[in-house]
Amino acid sequence: MRMFRIIGKSIKDAFKSVFRNFSLSMASISCTAVTLILVAIALLITYNVRSITKDIEDVLTIVVFVDTKATSGDVENLKNDINFIANVDAKKTEYNTQDEITSSLKKDESMKEILEILDGAPIQSTFVIRVKDVKKLTETAKEIEKMEFVTRVKYGENLVNKIVSMFDVVKNACIVAVVALILVTAFLISNTIKITIFSRRQEINIMRLVGTSNIVIKMPFLIEGFVLGVIGSLVPVLLTIYGYTFLFDFVGGKLFTDLIVLVKPSEIIYLTSLVIMIVGGIVGMFGSTRAVRRYLKI
């Protein structure tokens, strides 16, 4: 029961401190809100980049052209050799025969002219291969290129390398930004708590003299940091929910091209909002802990 009384009193004192030092609290809340908005943006970008990268990985393929002299046995052996490569997703390997490719081309009006130009020239059968790790696409393609009965390998190497590099840079930059902004938030809340502690130094000294335990002195400040962090996260949460939904509807769920599809709001906004609130609360308590330990020396 004593612990519940201490917690109840600490919560009451924490809210009193927030309103007693209203201007300082508002400054801390405002700065926290700004940094958490940037954290939310970075999280949304990171989540979308991961989703877009996965979508691109599903689209990118290696097309292997098989020698027209290869027998059915040769083709089966080649398929086994290809699927044996660790980076090849064997379940998604597709084989298209010459007849299937010709039939497919005939269905497309624009392709009929090309068939007439070829004038009966043999069309090569192909393997369409998907990989598990798109970063190793070039390495996998070169390994397949060396195999017997393989005449050509196409995989758009220049485009693949550029896309992978670009998204890696964006993803890493967002992760660095999130970490940096979280540290900034902790620093701001820590400074606010330090000022609060300084303004109440006489009261704290009296509490020490009468034998008040360290936990009773510390707890109101920890709860105050938590409260400041959570209040500071409310605006970023609202902007995440309504801002991202508006952006998604405004661009029609796609960015620049049909290849870059944004994650649906229902799949991301609530999770991101929860993360922002948790980050706000934990970072607020972390900032308070830092201030209490270094400033009070208790």
Side-chain angles (χ1 to χ4, degrees), residues 210-225:
V210 298
T212 305
S213 64
N214 287 344
I215 188 66
V216 173
I217 298 174
K218 289 178 181 180
M219 192 168 289
F221 296 110
L222 298 182
I223 294 174
E224 182 180 348

Side-chain angles (χ1 to χ4, degrees), residues 3-287:
M3 180 56 68
F4 286 114
R5 285 199 301 272
I6 292 172
I7 294 173
K9 187 177 183 303
S10 297
I11 293 173
K12 185 178 178 181
D13 290 343
F15 278 97
K16 277 184 179 179
S17 180
V18 169
F19 289 104
R20 185 188 299 134
N21 303 284
F22 187 72
S23 58
L24 289 173
S25 296
M26 283 305 298
S28 179
I29 289 168
S30 299
C31 292
T32 300
V34 171
T35 52
L36 287 179
I37 286 171
L38 297 176
V39 169
I41 292 171
L43 286 173
L44 291 170
I45 291 173
T46 302
Y47 196 93
N48 273 284
V49 166
R50 287 179 61 186
S51 176
I52 292 166
T53 303
K54 188 177 182 303
D55 289 342
I56 290 175
E57 287 176 1
D58 290 339
V59 172
L60 292 174
T61 57
I62 299 173
V63 180
V64 179
F65 292 86
V66 182
D67 194 328
T68 54
K69 296 177 183 178
T71 64
S72 58
D74 295 329
V75 171
E76 188 62 30
N77 290 334
L78 178 59
K79 181 181 179 180
N80 292 334
D81 291 340
I82 290 172
N83 288 338
F84 187 74
I85 298 173
N87 193 39
V88 170
D89 190 344
K91 294 179 180 178
K92 295 182 179 179
T93 299
E94 297 177 9
Y95 177 66
N96 300 310
T97 64
Q98 297 169 330
D99 292 338
E100 288 172 343
I101 295 172
T102 303
S103 177
S104 178
L105 291 174
K106 285 180 178 179
K107 291 177 182 178
D108 191 335
E109 291 294 330
S110 60
M111 291 291 111
K112 285 184 178 180
E113 294 182 6
I114 296 175
L115 288 172
E116 290 175 2
I117 293 171
L118 291 174
D119 192 24
I123 293 175
Q124 292 176 279
S125 56
T126 62
F127 281 105
V128 179
I129 301 162
R130 299 182 189 278
V131 295
K132 298 173 183 177
D133 185 359
V134 73
K135 292 180 182 178
K136 297 179 181 179
L137 190 69
T138 301
E139 177 187 327
T140 304
K142 288 182 177 179
E143 188 174 349
I144 294 171
E145 200 169 16
K146 298 174 184 177
M147 293 181 178
E148 191 177 5
F149 298 110
V150 173
T151 58
R152 281 184 301 159
V153 174
K154 292 291 182 181
Y155 60 100
E157 57 272 26
N158 293 329
L159 177 62
V160 170
N161 293 332
K162 286 179 181 178
I163 289 175
V164 171
S165 299
M166 180 182 70
F167 281 128
D168 274 349
V169 169
V170 173
K171 186 167 62 177
N172 293 334
C174 287
I175 291 171
V176 171
V178 168
V179 173
L181 290 167
I182 287 173
L183 292 176
V184 169
T185 304
F187 176 77
L188 292 169
I189 292 177
S190 175
N191 283 344
T192 300
I193 300 298
K194 281 181 181 179
I195 295 171
T196 303
I197 292 171
F198 183 78
S199 67
R200 295 175 59 188
R201 63 191 183 282
Q202 291 182 343
E203 177 188 341
I204 292 169
N205 286 333
I206 292 170
M207 291 172 71
R208 278 175 166 174
L209 289 172
V210 298
T212 305
S213 64
N214 287 344
I215 188 66
V216 173
I217 298 174
K218 289 178 181 180
M219 192 168 289
F221 296 110
L222 298 182
I223 294 174
E224 182 180 348
F226 178 80
V227 169
L228 291 174
V230 170
I231 294 174
S233 70
L234 294 179
V235 172
V237 165
L238 291 173
L239 284 176
T240 297
I241 293 172
Y242 294 104
Y244 184 79
T245 302
F246 172 79
L247 174 64
F248 184 88
D249 293 338
F250 183 76
V251 299
K254 297 174 183 177
L255 207 59
F256 307 123
T257 173
D258 289 344
L259 189 63
I260 303 178
V261 179
L262 297 177
V263 179
K264 293 179 181 179
S266 59
E267 297 177 9
I268 186 174
I269 56 175
Y270 300 113
L271 177 61
T272 303
S273 299
L274 179 62
V275 170
I276 291 299
M277 290 198 74
I278 292 172
V279 167
I282 291 176
V283 168
M285 290 188 72
F286 172 78

